[in-house]
Amino acid sequence: MSIDQGDMPPLAPGATALYERFVALMRAGDIEGARELAPGVVIQTEGWPYAGKTGPLNPAAFQGDASAHKLMYWRDEGGGTYRLRSGAAWYTVVSKGDEYRISEGGLKPVE
Amino acid sequence: MMETKIADSRKEGGMAPRRAERVAHDREGGKSRDMASLTEIPPETYTGAALGSLLGPLGTVAGGVAGYLLAKKVSVNVTRLNGVGNSLGTDIATANRVFSQAGITIQTAKTETLSAADSSAILGADNKLDDFTSPALTTEEQSLVAHNRTAGRITAYYVPEFIHAGTRGEAMIPSYHGVTESSIVISSADRVNDTFAHEMGHVLLNDASHDNDASNLMASGDIRNFTDKLTKGQIKKAQGSKYVH
């Protein structure tokens, strides 16, 4: 997966890398690895009544078309906090020293 | 604070949403539409007039009136929060083009614009709507959807933007949220031309899910290509909505 930055100001490289690693782990079904990058964020692994809808993150939602998880938007909230959005999900990413972590996230279509 | 948007290569040739919207607007002849355009003659009136014209000039008028009266209609209350852009005319025109596939006309009913104080009371200091992340509505959404209600009618709300960056719109519907009456919410900052029509689709179909066909109105925003087709099944279901009269 690559992020097309077009002519927009870049997202912090650490946040970009974190997001790409997280999506790759979810697609690979490595839930423990994904949870290390998103401590405290609910990642549901059993049952999935939310196909195409709003609800907790679930690896099943990452198994289809990868374009649904391409980064579409971000907003710099200041203080090392970013709100990210793909077509299928939203995230809050915060800086933790030299690293970034996902502090919130969930499935929600862009509309 | 900086907001950044990334072009989606699958949408309108890789343009960002606002860019795509401008192109769609240009394709419509670049006309600026505002509230006054809500009086535009709906398509079923033309159809009736065309049929009536077979009987002469009076038949044209009578046919037009009959076509309008016989059309299936959806009335929508509209509440605009303080400071939002005015895209309502464009959004209604697009929705009417889309739902003409089902013989349905969307028309506005009771409209209002909230004061700065009333808007701030809903959105708080960040001026962004805290949007739902589960079937439960947020406190801000509960406050929002209490405004401008009429029994048996949808209310559309225009907010500056959502707290979850880039969200274009959302629908609150009985099948997913357990609400009695349906609402749609549009982000003034992030909407595209068919966001209003898409959210109306969620309401009229009472279905929160998305279609895998990028040409379908109910495809998710990351793949939808603005063709906005409706299937026969969707048309039948929309025509049977309790909001269609």
Side-chain angles (χ1 to χ4, degrees):
Chain A
M1 181 183 66
S2 64
I3 298 175
D4 175 10
Q5 298 194 1
D7 58 357
M8 302 294 181
L11 180 63
T16 303
L18 168 75
Y19 178 75
E20 293 192 335
R21 283 172 57 207
F22 181 79
V23 171
L25 289 167
M26 290 292 276
R27 285 184 67 80
D30 184 349
I31 306 306
E32 292 309 311
R35 283 183 171 140
E36 288 183 14
L37 302 184
V41 176
V42 175
I43 300 177
Q44 190 179 62
T45 56
E46 294 182 3
W48 191 42
Y50 302 107
K53 301 178 184 177
T54 299
L57 293 170
N58 190 308
F62 290 76
Q63 302 310 310
D65 187 349
S67 66
H69 298 284
K70 180 179 178 181
L71 206 52
M72 292 178 69
Y73 308 89
W74 67 68
R75 185 166 63 217
D76 184 349
E77 300 283 13
T81 298
Y82 295 90
R83 291 190 184 276
L84 276 54
R85 163 165 274 299
S86 66
W90 61 275
Y91 305 87
T92 301
V93 172
V94 297
S95 63
K96 299 280 188 183
D98 294 336
E99 298 181 322
Y100 284 87
R101 288 291 181 266
I102 295 171
S103 63
E104 299 175 295
L107 299 175
K108 182 168 185 174
V110 68
E111 58 183 13
Chain B
M1 186 178 297
M2 174 183 69
E3 181 175 337
T4 305
K5 297 175 182 269
I6 307 293
D8 182 340
S9 61
R10 298 181 60 174
K11 179 167 53 224
E12 290 279 312
M15 292 174 286
R18 285 175 182 153
R19 169 67 178 141
E21 180 183 357
R22 284 195 294 275
V23 171
H25 181 258
D26 291 344
R27 285 177 183 162
E28 293 175 0
K31 290 195 308 182
S32 293
R33 296 171 184 265
D34 55 21
M35 294 287 282
S37 68
L38 299 182
T39 58
E40 286 178 355
I41 300 170
E44 69 277 5
T45 307
Y46 291 123
T47 305
L51 292 173
S53 68
L54 299 175
L55 302 175
L58 286 177
T60 301
V61 174
V65 172
Y68 178 77
L69 293 176
L70 292 174
K72 296 178 182 296
K73 298 182 184 67
V74 177
S75 295
V76 182
N77 287 355
V78 178
T79 293
R80 300 171 65 243
L81 273 62
N82 181 63
V84 303
N86 188 357
S87 62
L88 181 59
T90 300
D91 292 346
I92 293 288
T94 301
N96 275 322
R97 175 182 60 76
V98 172
F99 286 102
S100 67
Q101 297 173 74
I104 293 172
T105 296
I106 312 292
Q107 59 187 18
T108 56
K110 183 181 175 188
T111 64
E112 66 175 13
T113 300
L114 298 187
S115 67
D118 287 344
S119 298
S120 180
I122 297 169
L123 301 177
D126 65 0
N127 206 36
K128 299 177 178 68
L129 182 70
D130 185 8
D131 51 304
F132 65 79
T133 57
S134 74
L137 302 187
T138 67
T139 301
E140 290 186 0
E141 287 172 328
Q142 292 176 38
S143 174
L144 178 71
V145 302
H147 287 264
N148 200 7
R149 302 308 315 196
T150 302
R153 191 178 289 170
I154 304 160
T155 300
Y157 300 91
Y158 282 83
V159 300
E161 59 185 312
F162 293 97
I163 196 167
H164 295 115
T167 301
R168 298 174 184 170
E170 63 180 19
M172 292 89 152
I173 58 177
S175 67
Y176 183 70
H177 298 279
V179 294
T180 303
E181 298 290 4
S182 297
S183 307
I184 66 172
V185 187
I186 307 296
S187 164
S188 182
D190 295 303
R191 57 168 282 286
V192 293
N193 257 1
D194 60 357
T195 297
F196 182 97
H198 175 87
E199 302 305 341
M200 286 294 292
H202 281 304
V203 171
L204 298 182
L205 300 173
N206 192 21
D207 188 346
S209 65
H210 290 89
D211 198 286
N212 290 327
D213 177 2
S215 296
N216 191 280
L217 172 68
M218 299 318 298
S220 183
D222 58 311
I223 64 168
R224 199 169 67 254
N225 62 18
F226 299 94
T227 305
D228 294 332
K229 291 189 303 186
L230 294 171
T231 66
K232 289 180 180 178
Q234 289 171 329
I235 288 171
K236 184 176 181 181
K237 192 170 181 183
Q239 289 173 335
S241 167
K242 72 172 187 176
Y243 294 110
V244 176
H245 302 287

